[in-house]
Amino acid sequence: MVKKISSLLITCLLFSSCYQPERNCEKYKTGSFKFTYELGEIVKEGKFTRDEKYSVDYYENKIDSATVRWFNDCEFVLQDIHSKTAIHYKIISTTDSSYTFQYKSAVKDPNKELIVKTGTAFKIK
C-alpha cells in the first residue's frame, strides 16, 4: 500500500513539474492594452499603446512615453523618455486576451531592496 502511494505521488510530482504556462508573447509585442494598478489603497485603471519602438501610457489624465527595447519575444525594457528611468518586464504567461508579467527596476541599486511586482495587461481590440 505504501509503495502504491509513493509511486502515485512521484508520478503526480513528475507531471506537475512539467507544466509550463502558455507563453505566446509575440502577439503582445504591439497593440493597445489596459491594466489596473494600486496607488496606496486605491485601485486605478491605466491604458497604454505600444509599437516596436515606443510605449505611450495614459493614466490619471497624464501621458507618459518610453522607448521599448526587446531582449527576446517575452522580455523587454521600457525607458522613460524624460526621466530615463528603466523598468524590466518579463511576460510569464498569456491567454487569448491578456498577458501576466513581472516587472522590476532595470538598474540595480546596492542600497535598495529589489522589488519584483506582478501585473496583468488586457489587449484592447
Side-chain angles (χ1 to χ4, degrees), residues 31-35 45-49 97 122-125:
S32 295
F33 304 87
K34 65 180 178 178
F35 64 99
E45 184 176 281
K47 295 179 183 175
F48 65 94
T49 301
S97 62
F122 296 88
K123 195 154 195 178
I124 302 170
K125 296 184 179 181

Side-chain angles (χ1 to χ4, degrees), residues 93-105:
S93 67
T94 62
T95 68
D96 60 340
S97 62
S98 69
Y99 67 92
T100 300
F101 58 93
Q102 291 180 332
Y103 63 102
K104 62 185 176 186
S105 174

Side-chain angles (χ1 to χ4, degrees), residues 6-63:
S6 296
S7 63
L8 180 63
L9 283 174
I10 290 172
T11 303
C12 288
L13 283 173
L14 286 173
F15 282 116
S16 65
S17 67
C18 295
Y19 171 74
Q20 292 288 328
E22 181 182 344
R23 280 182 55 177
N24 184 9
C25 304
E26 180 77 22
K27 74 183 215 179
Y28 294 106
K29 285 181 109 172
T30 62
S32 295
F33 304 87
K34 65 180 178 178
F35 64 99
T36 57
Y37 62 97
E38 293 180 17
L39 193 58
E41 299 282 324
I42 302 169
V43 176
K44 298 191 173 210
E45 184 176 281
K47 295 179 183 175
F48 65 94
T49 301
R50 185 171 57 228
D51 65 23
E52 293 292 327
K53 294 183 179 184
Y54 298 99
S55 179
V56 180
D57 294 328
Y58 306 91
Y59 60 97
E60 294 183 3
N61 297 323
K62 297 177 187 174
I63 299 174

